[in-house]
Amino acid sequence: LGFAIPIDHAKPIIESLIKTGSTIEPFRLGIYTQDIPADQAQQYNLPEGVYIIQVEKGSAAEKAGLLRGDVIVAANRKAVKTTEALQAIKNSLNPGDKLAISIVRGSDKLDLEIVVTGGQA
């Protein structure tokens, strides 16, 4: 039995072990998502982006006002079309940083801010 861990998931853990001798829980937004590619966006009359399936109670995402059904279209002023792109932006942050999220909710476009409160990128 074998498995692989992507380096972008392992690197923060390794760096934390080297610096402090222990690990710090990674920062989580607290959302479950599904990508909306261009063909599905057109079919369902949604923007291309990251659809929020669920928001965890008490999470940073809930505190920022994200809701089930929102579509994330940008993070820190960069277009976001996949969960992987959103994760890459989130993983570049440190505790105390703010993550600016642009979402589409129904016919409205909103800008929200999530504060990184714990863990590390």
Side-chain angles (χ1 to χ4, degrees), residues 69-121:
D70 289 345
V71 180
I72 299 171
V73 294
N76 283 353
R77 294 172 188 71
K78 295 179 185 172
V80 171
K81 295 185 180 184
T82 65
T83 300
E84 184 178 342
L86 177 61
Q87 290 283 4
I89 294 167
K90 177 203 62 107
N91 289 341
S92 71
L93 302 176
N94 294 303
D97 290 345
K98 295 177 182 177
L99 177 63
I101 298 281
S102 296
I103 63 165
V104 174
R105 180 179 293 159
S107 61
D108 298 325
K109 186 171 182 182
L110 305 169
D111 293 317
L112 303 174
E113 191 173 79
I114 300 175
V115 178
V116 179
T117 57
Q120 71 180 36

